Amino acid sequence: MSVNEHYEPRDALLVVDLQNDFCEGGALAVNGATALVPGINAEIEAARAAGALVVASRDWHPVDHASFDHRGGPWPVHCVQDTPGAAFHPDLALPAETVRVSKATAFDADAYSAFDGTGLAGYLRERGVERVIVCGLALDVCVRATALDARREGFEVRLLEALSAAVDPAAVDDVRDTLLEAGVEVRP
Ligand code: VGL
Ligand code: ZN
């Protein structure tokens, strides 16, 4: 495992959607997801120790959400509120003070970004956050959208690519290019 990021109090580590349904054995499993957990735990501990904010987002759909295939959406049923699949991975070591953000909770709309409809940008500014460090699932869906929104909201953004995994590994090069173009720093 490589050396952790250097965190400062003005940083927020944002762990995106590290939930059972996106891990091996889950309803919408991303290859390599479970293997990310120890490295992400090390980042969480480094961030916490440095006084940086730790934020964990979760995909948190109502039953019969518009994104589910039986409703004409693109995805199998996943991350239904209060089901085991929607829980954070059991080995993810979230400190008690972790800021938890639920997204995509409306029946009729999907939200890939942790900033979409959550008020997260204003909250981070209130807490003095200037830089957002992003990792988690899925690199080509919610991590991508979250990193782009963080830039749009005026934060410095750094992606921890090795601590993210994609639904479609063939998309990773395009995702990286898009993020770099938007001014996201990418740590391999
Ligand atoms: C996600 C597909 C559907 C994600 C959420 O967290 O990347 N992907 N809903
Ligand atoms: Zn979803």
Side-chain angles (χ1 to χ4, degrees), residues 32-96:
T34 306
L36 303 176
V37 173
I40 291 177
N41 283 342
E43 294 296 329
I44 290 170
E45 180 48 28
R48 195 200 57 74
L53 198 65
V54 176
V55 183
S57 70
R58 61 181 183 178
D59 209 32
W60 194 245
H61 298 309
V63 290
D64 298 330
H65 187 248
S67 76
F68 298 164
D69 44 20
H70 70 276
R71 306 289 283 192
W75 306 110
V77 173
H78 66 281
C79 296
V80 174
Q81 295 169 3
D82 288 313
T83 62
F88 290 115
H89 189 284
D91 296 334
L92 186 66
L94 296 176

Side-chain angles (χ1 to χ4, degrees), residues 16-17 19 22 28 30 59 61 67 75 78-79 103 110-112 137-143 167:
V16 176
D17 299 3
Q19 294 163 271
F22 295 127
L28 181 38
V30 176
D59 209 32
H61 298 309
S67 76
W75 306 110
H78 66 281
C79 296
K103 64 177 175 61
D110 210 355
Y112 291 150
L137 304 168
L139 177 56
D140 49 339
V141 188
C142 289
V143 172
V167 174

Side-chain angles (χ1 to χ4, degrees), residues 118-143:
T118 61
L120 178 60
Y123 178 73
L124 294 183
R125 279 192 282 272
E126 254 172 60
R127 294 287 304 258
V129 170
E130 296 174 357
R131 186 171 73 143
V132 179
I133 294 153
V134 185
C135 62
L137 304 168
L139 177 56
D140 49 339
V141 188
C142 289
V143 172

